[in-house]
Amino acid sequence: MRAVYFEQHGGPEVLILGERPAPALGPGQVRMRVRAASLNHIDVFLRRGLPGIRLPLPHIPGCDAAGEILEIGEGVSGLKPGDRVLMNPSLSCGKCEFCQRGDVTMCVSYKLVGEHTDGTCCDEIALPAENAIPFPETMSFETAAALPLVFVTAWRMLITRARLRAGEDVLIHGAAAGVGVACIQIAKVAGARVFAVASSEEKLDLCRSLGADVLIHSEKEDVVKRVREATGRRGVDVVVDYVGKATWQRSLQCASRGGRVVTCGATTGYNPEEDLRHIFYRQLEVIGSTMGSRNELLAPLKLIFEGRMRPVVSAVYDLANLADAHRLMEARKVLGKIVIRVSQ
Ligand code: ZN
């Protein structure tokens, strides 16, 4: 089958379009033709290489996919060839202590498709049947492929982990990026007031169009000062920070007494300066979150299928031009998602 893969770590030029063996179909699995995939920051980090993570090479990147079922494996019911499905990229063992209690993202052998296994930037994938989720006929493959990773991540982070409630204030850094776009909309549906931080007027316009209430230009304004002014010096109840090193200190300063600061990543670096006095004196909660369960994906998908939330796709590239898509993501000018068209 056609696939884009890399045999060594490096810049976008290491991405090669070539032939790789098609995946075998196992019991309980479905084989799916990938029509569209989408890009996430993790694709860039894995391509460059992460300290302490050894990836079997060659590696096919891509954590998101939408397409149609080609074949179902032994024991699969409720799905059939031709069904249009999107993929939940979380793989868990189903047996360990954490899986048994329903916390699949804490599975001791948790795997993310495209990180711990070959990914979706190829013609065909095989995946457990429960990871294939049907989507409406009216939705394009490109739109469906933009949904899973960012919406499941945002839902678990805000609703499950940070326990966001109606009437609360939430600050979102990097609010025009993939996860940010999902966070703004989920927070609005939850009844919160949204403070969106982004680095350009164009990005802030997008945040406004998605319902953000307070818009803060990170390059031109003092984020902490704006938050204090808008909240009567109180601070916000919840801060979403997946930017990391560049924003962490400000995140702690923007949180109210007893506030929750939640992180699901660190796109600018993992080792921020941290003044612990902010945490103990004002009794902050620092909360980690990663990916989400099938239910934490189905919840936002229901709202999207009802037209109450939407993905933002700002660029579509053909599979052969995946390197250009990586370059655009690295330039940090993306609004929402970059989608990869794999086959027509
Ligand atoms: Zn497990």
Side-chain angles (χ1 to χ4, degrees):
M1 65 170 181
R2 285 181 321 143
V4 170
Y5 57 93
F6 53 90
E7 294 174 315
Q8 59 182 43
H9 295 290
E13 70 281 357
V14 301
L15 296 166
I16 303 164
L17 176 66
E19 289 289 319
R20 297 291 302 153
L25 177 68
Q29 291 191 328
V30 297
R31 194 161 62 85
M32 173 179 159
R33 180 193 305 284
V34 181
R35 295 288 194 178
S38 75
L39 214 56
N40 295 286
H41 275 287
I42 190 163
D43 296 303
V44 170
F45 293 134
L46 291 171
R47 192 206 70 224
R48 288 179 188 160
L50 286 167
I53 295 181
R54 183 163 296 183
L55 214 56
L57 298 174
H59 179 77
I60 301 172
C63 306
D64 280 319
E68 59 215 344
I69 292 178
L70 292 171
E71 191 183 357
I72 61 168
E74 198 186 316
V76 173
S77 58
L79 291 168
K80 61 181 187 308
D83 284 354
R84 295 154 61 91
V85 291
L86 54 81
M87 181 193 73
N88 170 12
S90 285
L91 302 173
S92 52
C93 77
K95 297 180 188 121
C96 74
E97 172 196 348
F98 301 97
C99 283
Q100 285 296 314
R101 72 182 194 199
D103 290 331
V104 294
T105 58
M106 295 186 195
C107 175
V108 295
S109 48
Y110 179 82
K111 290 188 174 74
L112 177 65
V113 172
E115 179 179 7
H116 308 97
T117 71
D118 269 333
T120 58
C121 289
C122 56
D123 284 330
E124 287 182 24
I125 54 174
L127 64 152
E130 65 267 23
N131 286 59
I133 299 172
F135 64 90
E137 287 286 330
T138 49
M139 181 175 279
S140 70
F141 291 114
E142 280 86 2
T143 300
L147 301 174
L149 189 143
V150 291
F151 275 93
V152 75
T153 299
W155 189 274
R156 177 169 178 80
M157 183 162 55
L158 279 180
I159 304 300
T160 309
R161 300 288 292 152
R163 314 178 305 276
L164 184 67
R165 294 184 291 272
E168 289 192 320
D169 289 341
V170 56
L171 177 80
I172 302 162
H173 289 289
V179 174
V181 161
C183 282
I184 291 172
Q185 297 179 84
I186 291 168
K188 290 307 296 178
V189 169
R193 180 165 66 146
V194 173
F195 293 57
V197 184
S199 60
S200 72
E201 299 294 345
E202 189 189 16
K203 289 177 177 177
L204 290 170
D205 285 344
L206 171 64
C207 297
R208 183 188 294 112
S209 76
L210 295 170
D213 301 280
V214 179
L215 302 159
I216 306 177
H217 195 308
S218 59
E219 309 287 307
K220 292 185 181 167
E221 295 183 285
D222 180 332
V223 177
V224 178
K225 195 166 162 230
R226 279 291 312 278
V227 167
R228 285 187 179 151
E229 281 167 5
T231 59
R233 301 191 59 77
R234 176 185 180 274
V236 297
D237 302 278
V238 173
V239 180
V240 172
D241 189 330
Y242 48 85
V243 179
K245 191 164 186 166
T247 52
W248 190 249
Q249 280 279 21
R250 266 177 268 158
S251 291
L252 299 179
Q253 291 169 350
C254 288
S256 69
R257 287 165 186 266
R260 290 97 76 197
V261 182
V262 61
T263 170
C264 72
T267 53
T268 60
Y270 302 114
N271 288 301
E273 291 267 318
E274 187 173 76
D275 184 338
L276 288 172
R277 290 172 298 182
H278 287 300
I279 298 175
F280 65 72
Y281 184 66
R282 291 188 296 115
Q283 303 188 56
L284 304 184
E285 276 182 72
V286 174
I287 301 171
S289 190
T290 192
M291 295 305 298
S293 67
R294 182 181 163 92
N295 283 344
E296 286 162 335
L297 176 55
L298 292 176
L301 287 181
K302 175 177 180 288
L303 296 168
I304 293 162
F305 297 162
E306 289 170 359
R308 298 169 66 188
M309 302 196 298
R310 64 183 173 92
V312 171
V313 176
S314 63
V316 180
Y317 287 82
D318 285 328
L319 182 63
N321 302 323
L322 183 62
D324 289 334
H326 275 232
R327 287 185 188 101
L328 180 66
M329 177 153 253
E330 287 183 302
R332 297 191 176 281
K333 287 182 180 155
V334 185
L335 300 179
K337 295 285 289 178
I338 302 171
V339 164
I340 309 302
R341 194 186 294 122
V342 176
S343 63
Q344 295 289 350

